[in-house]
């Protein structure tokens, strides 16, 4: 039976989870309301509704106009969509969905490493289009004894490293702080890039990582280097990546994330030495369901007055 607790749903982050929340709470769907009428909905919920659920990377700022808002349950681990200056100032608590997506994102990272090293997407087109009849496909690159540089050795970065070791890759990494791992630490991204054959970004978004992957880093990676980004698009200067790829300052790239999703710059999409994926790192049925369950469990904990399962400390 639906209880009468009011819940604001900010965007359609996962239809299956939304349907489960519809069955549990009195839900209000912000995205179904015209932008100009949203403030009216928000005002009508004032004093009655204290919780919202939203995609973690995208939150309509009108949500902060809800005076009684005390909790945002975010679907996703990267909380760059949350305005922490507002949540901090107002004591609004935030939860996210860490760890349950590590395996799916790390699996995709390995798929990108393999597809990039062996040029799989172009190989498929080559075979399909009959070019094989004119001669063999150009050689790819082996992984054994190469160095995978991980920018962001956190939960997902660690899962990528664990998968990469059996392929014979050496692991190096850069974080702001050295971890306890035995992997070789670089205190700058440029030094990591210089030491890497494959440079993989799995950094959060936000101001501290904005534009970190720029031409200087691509030049340090070098003409045989493969660049992969599965963290946030805002960490890459996309036009400089396009120039480095076009001028063969690096060999190839594979991206899952972009600065202005779902838009991908033409300067990137016209190149044939880049693999472009539509932000599918966590997009498996099982993982999205587990993320949804964590949103549901955090909301239940909030409404019961229990500790949140995965509160973001901000
Ligand atoms: P995490 O455990 O917090 O790891 C983030 C790592 O990045 C930490 O090791 C952190 O170390 C490092 N870092 C943060 N800011 C940095 C900076 N300015 N310079 C250098 N290193 C920095 O997070 P996670 O769970 O692994 O997730 C990482 C990110 O992946 C998320 O925030 C999200 O943006 C992205 N993601 C993408 C997908 C996808 O579908 N493509 C899916 C899930 C997550 P220090 O704090 O020591 O610097
Ligand atoms: C998205 C992600 O959240 O968790 C993250 O930070 O980038 C993804 O898992 C996902 O696209 C759902 O919005």
């Amino acid at each position: 039976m639906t209880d009468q607790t009011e819940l604001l749903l900010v965007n359609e982050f996962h239809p299956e989870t939304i349907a489960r929340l519809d069955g549990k709470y009195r839900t209000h769907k912000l995205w179904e309301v015209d932008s100009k009428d949203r403030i009216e909905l928000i005002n009508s919920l004032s004093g009655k509704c204290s919780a919202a659920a939203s995609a973690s990377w995208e939150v309509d700022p009108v949500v902060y106009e809800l005076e009684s808002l005390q909790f945002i349950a975010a679907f996703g681990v990267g909380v760059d969509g949350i305005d922490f200056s507002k949540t901090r100032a107002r004591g609004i608590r935030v939860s996210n969905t860490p760890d349950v997506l590590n395996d799916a994102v790390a699996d995709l990272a390995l798929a990108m490493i393999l597809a990039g090293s062996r040029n799989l997407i172009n190989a498929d087109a080559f075979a399909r289009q009959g070019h094989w009849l004119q001669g063999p496909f150009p050689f790819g690159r082996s992984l054994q004894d190469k160095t995978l540089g991980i920018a962001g050795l956190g939960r997902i970065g660690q899962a990528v490293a664990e998968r990469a070791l059996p392929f014979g890759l050496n692991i190096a990494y850069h974080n702001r702080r050295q971890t306890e791992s035995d992997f070789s630490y670089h205190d700058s991204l440029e030094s990591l890039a210089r030491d890497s054959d494959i440079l993989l970004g799995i950094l959060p978004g936000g101001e501290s990582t904005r534009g970190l992957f720029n031409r200087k880093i691509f030049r340090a990676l070098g003409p045989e280097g493969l660049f992969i980004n599965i963290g946030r698009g805002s960490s890459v200067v996309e036009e400089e990546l396009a120039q480095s790829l076009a001028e063969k300052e690096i060999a190839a790239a594979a991206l899952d994330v972009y600065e202005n999703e779902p838009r991908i710059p033409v300067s990137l999409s016209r190149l044939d030495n880049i693999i472009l994926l539509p932000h599918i790192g966590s997009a498996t049925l099982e993982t999205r369901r587990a993320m949804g369950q964590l949103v549901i469990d955090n909301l239940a904990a909030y409404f019961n007055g229990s500790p949140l399962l995965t509160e973001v400390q901000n």
Side-chain angles (χ1 to χ4, degrees):
M1 197 185 71
T2 310
D3 83 19
Q4 291 308 295
T5 305
E6 317 271 353
L7 175 66
L8 177 64
L9 297 175
V10 182
N11 35 47
E12 202 173 14
F13 52 84
H14 183 229
E16 187 182 296
T17 302
I18 304 270
R20 291 182 63 196
L21 292 170
D22 283 340
K24 233 168 137 36
Y25 301 107
R26 196 150 171 236
T27 55
H28 303 272
K29 299 186 171 103
L30 194 63
W31 72 91
E32 288 183 349
V33 177
D34 257 15
S35 305
K36 62 177 176 26
D37 300 326
R38 288 185 184 173
I39 190 67
E40 226 170 278
L41 169 65
I42 295 289
N43 290 340
S44 75
L45 293 174
S46 186
K48 294 195 291 196
C49 176
S50 67
S54 171
S56 66
W57 51 275
E58 185 179 46
V59 181
D60 184 332
V62 76
V63 166
Y64 303 108
E65 302 299 317
L66 179 57
E67 280 171 24
S68 46
L69 185 67
Q70 289 177 24
F71 176 49
I72 301 174
F75 180 89
V77 67
V79 283
D80 42 325
I82 307 279
D83 185 341
F84 284 103
S85 67
K86 292 215 166 67
T87 58
R88 260 195 300 269
R90 304 230 328 254
I92 298 168
R93 299 165 76 194
V94 176
S95 67
N96 65 345
T97 63
D99 289 318
V100 293
L101 41 61
N102 294 352
D103 288 337
V105 182
D107 287 350
L108 189 74
L110 261 291
M112 292 163 83
I113 291 171
L114 288 164
S117 302
R118 302 297 290 271
N119 202 0
L120 285 192
I121 308 298
N122 286 326
D124 176 274
F126 182 91
R128 242 173 242 282
Q129 292 160 12
H131 299 305
W132 195 9
L133 297 167
Q134 277 85 56
F137 189 68
F139 296 144
R141 292 271 170 186
S142 295
L143 298 183
Q144 292 78 13
D145 299 325
K146 299 280 167 44
T147 297
L148 170 65
I150 300 180
L153 190 76
R155 290 170 291 236
I156 299 171
Q158 184 65 37
V160 174
E162 284 160 16
R163 283 160 173 73
L165 287 171
F167 284 92
L169 283 158
N170 304 308
I171 308 295
Y173 74 100
H174 166 65
N175 283 355
R176 289 165 300 184
R177 285 168 293 270
Q178 185 165 6
T179 72
E180 282 173 6
S181 90
D182 293 334
F183 302 136
S184 112
Y185 176 67
H186 290 258
D187 62 6
S188 81
L189 188 54
E190 190 175 358
S191 150
L192 179 71
R194 194 164 295 117
D195 199 36
S196 300
D197 300 288
I198 302 166
L199 178 65
L200 181 135
I202 177 66
L203 291 169
E207 284 319 304
S208 84
T209 58
R210 186 171 297 284
L212 285 186
F213 296 104
N214 54 35
R215 200 138 188 199
K216 184 175 72 169
I217 302 302
F218 301 133
R219 283 182 174 147
L221 179 60
E224 296 185 3
L226 168 63
F227 172 65
I228 291 172
N229 190 27
I230 193 162
R232 279 292 181 266
S234 55
S235 65
V236 176
V237 183
E238 289 173 338
E239 287 311 316
E240 295 188 13
L241 173 61
Q243 283 168 354
S244 286
L245 284 165
E247 293 172 30
K248 306 285 189 286
E249 287 177 338
I250 63 172
L255 304 179
D256 185 44
V257 288
Y258 309 88
E259 181 154 24
N260 293 308
E261 295 176 10
R263 273 165 276 280
I264 298 178
V266 178
S267 55
L268 289 175
S269 58
R270 68 168 179 230
L271 296 171
D272 66 1
N273 53 349
I274 186 166
I275 295 169
L276 301 167
L277 303 179
H279 199 150
I280 54 170
S282 69
T284 70
L285 287 168
E286 298 84 353
T287 300
R288 289 290 167 86
R289 194 165 287 155
M291 292 162 69
Q293 186 63 50
L294 205 38
V295 168
I296 289 169
D297 292 345
N298 272 305
L299 282 165
Y302 166 74
F303 286 123
N304 290 335
S306 309
L308 300 177
L309 282 83
T310 49
E311 182 157 5
V312 179
Q313 303 305 330
N314 62 89

